[in-house]
Amino acid sequence: MKIVVCVSLVPDSTTKIKISDDGKSIDESGVTFIINPYDEYAVEESVQLKEKKGAETYAISFGTQKHKEAIKKAFQMGIDKGILIQTESDNYDSYTVAKNLAEAIKEINPDIIFFGKQSIDFDGLTVPGMVGELLGIPSVNVVTKIEYGDNLLTLEREIEGGKEVITTSIPAVIGTQKGLNTPRYPNLKSIMASKSKPIDEKKATYSGNATNVTEMKLPESKGKGKILTEGVKSVPELVNLLRNEAKVI
Amino acid sequence: MYKSITGKIFEELKHVTDKEYILTDEYNKDIYSKDNTEDLKYYPDVIIRPGSTSEISKILKIANFYKIPVTPRGGGTGLSGGSLPVFGGICLSLERMNKILEIDENNFQITAEPGVITEVLQSECEKRGLFYPVDPASKGSCFIGGNLAESSGGPRAVKYGTTKDYVLSIEVVLPSGEILNLGTNTLKNVSGYNLTQLIIGSEGTLGIITRITLRLTALPKFRKVALIAYDDIYKCISSVAEIFKQGLIPSALEFMERDAIKTAEEHLSKVYPNSDAEAQLLVEFDGNNEEVIFADIEKCALISEKYDAADVIMAEDTSKIEEIWSLRRAVGESVKNISVYMEEDTVVPRFRLPDLLIGVKEICTMYGIRAICYGHAGDGNLHINILKDGLSDDEWEFKTAKAIPEIFKLTVRLGGSISGEHGIGLTQKKYLNIAVQEKVILLMKEIKKIFDPNNILNPGKIFDL
């Protein structure tokens, strides 16, 4: 079996984001980058599957040299091979990412392709579906449970007010959601072992964005909270503030 | 011996602090009757929340004149009952004096009022690339003033020291109402007796701290955390001293036994790796060179292997590091939630930690009581939480009265003391003579009398006069 997991590098969720001078991208100075947290579920699922059934595992990332860090993290968790689809900048849209990933995945010809359901930087939720479409295979996103049968996967998704159970043939693209598994902390042995795992670098073959970012803005900052200190006596004032100032009741 | 607050005295107090900031209702009296010490409650007669040094000075003058006890209060997170108003009287809450007055980026100093929450102070420093390393577990709600009063520690003490190591100067109001300025904002100062350090850790018995200047360091750029699992608790604790002997300087080195981790896991509804191991060490390194930090963790792992460590896991991202720290921070609170408890804050030279742990377990087995141990292994500070579980009140009373002095005597025999960072306060004062010479206690009492001849300031703490 061959498993591909696509990983992305995103700003650490505790980082304070600044917009750079061009007004279209973030200022990366002083920002620490981490593997996209949802990709950790995808990596964990790949590694667990490998441990159960035996598989060749690949982590693929698209982007500049720094994206190697996401692959290294996947290595530390137990993925064996890495491919970086190398670009000069990070200013590419989902379509370009999907197109390049699909191209690389085609060469590997895997049985299952895992993604995190979305990356926490642009929150597009689009790449897994696009890759499935470009490869002409089924794709299911936001998956919280997987049962592996012979050439058939039974998947669960949480939907409004309930659960949806889907079966799909393989190969298939699966986007992983929190709850699917508990991503492991890498232990020191696997970290040491990861240092000798190879990353294959290839140039991006497609760069014709379908969309362009024209402007980026930070959300307006929230005002300071109010604390009412008189206990029960504050209730009328609280109701008044909720109704007339916050306008929520 | 103390006077109660008559209508006339109350009127005088209202002239000093706006009545909006004076509380006498039962609801608030209940809130201010407790801190984080066991389930103890002592009700104040009045809670005053002054807004300035001069108000505090006037309040103390009135209290001193009429002989009314005054118990200062910070965030109310103390673990030895330091802020409990055992004789009633005035609870003097510093909560409104919560301003950061100056951050001096040239000299790496911060000046603040005592009511600033420690974590707020830390994050204001960190925004500017400065670092106030003292990191008590209650940092999200404790006050910097309370930290000085108790000379708080926390996990980073092993590399960075405790509160006492960062105080340059303070403003203190004496029970007489006089305002003192102690220390200078220089890194060196030898000018007579060091009264600054006398006030630090004096648990609010000598004066009220009203302004604080702390020295800061530069914020380290990177930190990484490893969690080392051992199947043998004694090998775990024995590896601690070896880590230091190999020349490593972790920024934290924490010990947790299995029961502590299991309880915290339950509290957080979260499963951590290797939580079935008998004990674990949380090791943190910080610095400006990522590779050096990694190499240090690697060395640490090699040492732990010699002590049969089962596994070493690592956290490098901020969120993962916080996740591991949240386990450690949850231990204290969650262990205290499972049963009536008594917490002892023993500290020994770190090479003697295995002896302390073995001794404590033996004493507990002998008396048939359960204790959960965890703490700042790097600086030899072991928190021992003795749990009542299913014992009857009489058994609990009897067994702890025997076991606790034995634990403390053992601690002292090993070259340690009965409180590393929680203070003596109310709950530990009966044990003070186990750790401190009689003549020394006598001297302390004489000092107290010089500062507070009428014994109005936090009476009933540390020792009885």
Side-chain angles (χ1 to χ4, degrees):
Chain A
M1 183 156 57
K2 283 183 184 171
I3 303 167
V4 164
V5 56
C6 298
V7 291
S8 176
L9 199 70
V10 298
D12 192 326
S13 47
T14 55
T15 302
K16 285 226 161 59
I17 296 293
K18 281 180 286 194
I19 307 288
S20 55
D21 294 339
D22 68 3
K24 294 180 190 177
S25 56
I26 66 161
D27 178 359
E28 291 188 0
S29 58
V31 174
T32 31
F33 287 89
I34 59 171
I35 186 172
N36 174 39
Y38 291 110
D39 295 349
E40 289 190 41
Y41 301 106
V43 173
E44 179 63 34
E45 196 61 25
S46 308
V47 175
Q48 282 187 16
L49 192 55
K50 177 187 92 170
E51 287 168 348
K52 255 183 256 159
K53 306 203 168 177
E56 269 180 62
T57 50
Y58 297 80
I60 307 183
S61 195
F62 170 90
T64 54
Q65 281 295 319
K66 74 168 186 285
H67 286 257
K68 275 185 180 170
E69 289 304 315
I71 297 172
K72 284 181 189 164
K73 195 74 193 193
F75 282 171
Q76 292 178 359
M77 290 174 72
I79 299 291
D80 295 315
K81 292 176 184 167
I83 298 167
L84 176 71
I85 306 169
Q86 207 187 328
T87 61
E88 297 303 322
S89 83
D90 284 320
N91 298 328
Y92 293 107
D93 69 355
S94 318
Y95 181 67
T96 304
V97 176
K99 190 112 168 121
N100 280 287
L101 287 176
E103 206 60 43
I105 292 167
K106 215 186 282 174
E107 278 176 36
I108 298 170
N109 193 24
D111 300 278
I112 304 180
I113 300 116
F114 286 110
F115 278 87
K117 67 157 178 151
Q118 73 195 85
S119 63
I120 63 162
D121 48 3
F122 289 100
D123 285 326
L125 279 121
T126 46
V127 176
M130 286 183 187
V131 169
E133 183 64 25
L134 289 166
L135 294 173
I137 59 174
S139 70
V140 184
N141 205 354
V142 202
V143 170
T144 53
K145 196 178 165 191
I146 307 174
E147 273 173 43
Y148 298 93
D150 296 332
N151 298 318
L152 190 81
L153 304 178
T154 308
L155 311 166
E156 259 181 43
R157 308 173 70 239
E158 276 173 21
I159 55 171
E160 190 76 41
K163 264 180 197 162
E164 185 179 48
V165 180
I166 296 172
T167 57
T168 175
S169 59
I170 57 170
V173 174
I174 295 166
T176 59
Q177 161 74 319
K178 186 178 180 180
L180 177 64
N181 52 42
T182 310
R184 66 195 65 192
Y185 284 88
N187 70 11
L188 209 75
K189 283 202 183 85
S190 61
I191 293 174
M192 301 308 291
S194 74
K195 288 183 175 173
S196 56
K197 292 179 183 175
I199 298 178
D200 187 11
E201 291 180 44
K202 47 175 81 177
K203 288 252 179 314
T205 50
Y206 178 83
S207 60
N209 281 351
T211 59
N212 280 308
V213 177
T214 51
E215 199 183 353
M216 221 181 248
K217 269 190 205 163
L218 290 174
E220 273 178 40
S221 62
K222 284 184 196 157
K224 263 198 168 170
K226 263 186 200 164
I227 297 174
L228 308 179
T229 54
E230 299 300 308
V232 177
K233 280 189 221 156
S234 298
V235 173
E237 197 190 344
L238 176 67
V239 172
N240 175 38
L241 288 172
L242 288 173
R243 178 167 295 153
N244 298 322
E245 207 175 298
K247 297 191 184 358
V248 290
I249 55 170
Chain B
M1 97 183 147
Y2 292 113
K3 295 263 172 56
S4 52
I5 304 173
T6 59
K8 177 173 169 284
I9 299 172
F10 200 73
E11 281 308 310
E12 283 190 44
L13 289 169
K14 273 201 286 197
H15 274 114
V16 177
T17 297
D18 195 298
K19 70 171 188 298
E20 168 181 6
Y21 302 118
I22 300 179
L23 305 170
T24 51
D25 62 292
E26 294 309 312
Y27 174 76
N28 276 300
K29 277 188 193 172
D30 190 60
I31 289 177
Y32 288 87
S33 70
K34 57 203 170 197
D35 60 7
N36 274 356
T37 313
E38 302 166 22
D39 48 3
L40 300 175
K41 275 190 173 195
Y42 292 89
Y43 290 84
D45 296 313
V46 55
I47 300 121
I48 307 183
R49 299 172 291 165
S52 68
T53 304
S54 80
E55 278 183 35
I56 292 173
S57 163
K58 285 172 195 160
I59 292 163
L60 288 184
K61 267 183 199 157
I62 295 169
N64 201 32
F65 182 78
Y66 292 109
K67 302 199 172 42
I68 294 163
V70 177
T71 306
R73 182 183 174 95
T77 59
L79 295 165
S80 61
S83 65
L84 299 177
V86 286
F87 292 97
I90 297 170
C91 164
L92 192 78
S93 172
L94 281 308
E95 66 197 65
R96 284 179 57 229
M97 294 182 61
N98 61 357
K99 284 183 277 304
I100 290 174
L101 301 171
E102 193 193 351
I103 298 179
D104 179 347
E105 294 180 50
N106 293 319
N107 292 305
F108 282 39
Q109 293 174 6
I110 184 166
T111 300
E113 293 182 332
V116 176
I117 289 175
T118 306
E119 193 169 45
V120 171
L121 184 140
Q122 285 176 331
S123 63
E124 284 306 314
C125 292
E126 283 167 28
K127 276 182 202 163
R128 294 162 175 82
L130 300 171
F131 189 38
Y132 178 65
V134 185
D135 198 43
S138 55
K139 64 177 175 181
S141 45
C142 65
F143 293 176
I144 191 69
N147 290 176
L148 263 70
E150 298 293 328
S151 193
S152 307
R156 293 198 190 121
V158 59
K159 178 172 178 182
Y160 291 100
T162 64
T163 305
K164 70 176 192 307
D165 300 307
Y166 291 87
V167 181
L168 295 172
S169 70
I170 48 177
E171 178 186 75
V172 180
V173 184
L174 294 180
S176 62
E178 289 160 286
I179 299 165
L180 302 185
N181 286 291
L182 300 176
T184 60
N185 296 342
T186 55
L187 294 177
K188 292 174 168 179
N189 174 25
V190 186
S191 316
Y193 297 150
N194 191 341
L195 297 186
T196 319
Q197 291 294 338
L198 178 62
I199 298 292
I200 297 163
S202 67
E203 309 196 42
T205 62
L206 300 180
I208 309 274
I209 301 164
T210 49
R211 201 187 60 230
I212 299 155
T213 300
L214 301 164
R215 74 180 177 87
L216 305 169
T217 66
L219 182 67
K221 286 198 179 70
F222 304 102
R223 61 187 181 127
K224 292 181 199 293
V225 162
L227 202 55
I228 310 177
Y230 296 77
D231 288 326
D232 181 323
I233 189 171
Y234 300 109
K235 284 184 181 162
C236 170
I237 202 84
S238 302
S239 69
V240 171
E242 189 61 28
I243 290 170
F244 292 91
K245 276 166 82 181
Q246 297 293 329
L248 298 170
I249 308 170
S251 49
L253 206 173
E254 300 285 303
F255 166 83
M256 297 173 277
E257 66 169 309
R258 178 168 47 207
D259 279 358
I261 291 174
K262 287 285 176 193
T263 315
E265 272 189 333
E266 213 163 288
H267 185 77
L268 298 168
S269 320
K270 213 169 184 178
V271 178
Y272 281 82
N274 304 315
S275 56
D276 285 323
E278 210 173 84
Q280 302 210 39
L281 293 181
L282 185 167
V283 191
E284 182 189 270
F285 286 91
D286 66 3
N288 292 333
N289 184 328
E290 235 180 330
E291 275 159 35
V292 172
I293 297 174
F294 190 81
D296 282 350
I297 288 191
E298 222 176 287
K299 268 188 220 162
C300 222
L302 283 175
I303 295 164
S304 70
E305 259 175 32
K306 282 188 213 148
Y307 290 82
D308 300 330
D311 195 18
V312 182
I313 62 142
M314 238 182 104
E316 299 184 78
D317 311 341
T318 320
S319 59
K320 287 277 159 61
I321 290 172
E322 277 315 307
E323 198 169 62
I324 289 190
W325 269 113
S326 69
L327 173 74
R328 169 62 189 89
R329 290 201 189 98
V331 167
E333 197 189 337
S334 58
V335 166
K336 291 176 179 72
N337 274 338
I338 49 180
S339 157
V340 169
Y341 69 96
M342 284 190 189
E343 180 170 20
E344 310 311 332
D345 174 34
T346 57
V347 58
V348 294
R350 67 177 158 243
F351 195 65
R352 308 308 297 269
L353 263 180
D355 300 322
L356 178 64
L357 189 67
I358 290 170
V360 166
K361 294 282 174 187
E362 276 172 6
I363 292 167
C364 289
T365 309
M366 193 159 75
Y367 289 102
I369 45 180
R370 182 160 78 114
I372 297 183
C373 300
Y374 59 90
H376 315 303
D379 47 46
N381 190 190
L382 191 70
H383 298 320
I384 303 163
N385 275 265
I386 304 170
L387 304 176
K388 185 168 180 246
D389 287 336
L391 296 176
S392 71
D393 290 353
D394 286 347
E395 280 176 311
W396 173 241
E397 202 67 22
F398 176 79
K399 289 182 172 188
T400 50
K402 296 255 185 210
I404 292 172
E406 281 196 40
I407 290 172
F408 283 152
K409 280 176 193 158
L410 168 70
T411 310
V412 171
R413 268 205 310 282
L414 294 171
S417 189
I418 65 171
S419 174
E421 55 184 16
H422 297 171
I424 300 300
L426 176 67
T427 56
Q428 309 300 336
K429 67 179 176 184
K430 60 182 170 217
Y431 310 116
L432 186 63
N433 65 357
I434 297 176
V436 182
Q437 273 178 302
E438 206 172 314
K439 177 71 188 170
V440 175
I441 296 177
L442 213 66
L443 265 173
M444 288 183 186
K445 289 181 180 177
E446 292 304 317
I447 291 170
K448 165 74 174 168
K449 284 177 195 160
I450 294 170
F451 275 79
D452 184 16
N454 294 325
N455 194 24
I456 61 151
L457 204 51
N458 210 2
K461 305 297 163 61
I462 308 179
F463 38 66
D464 290 314
L465 281 178

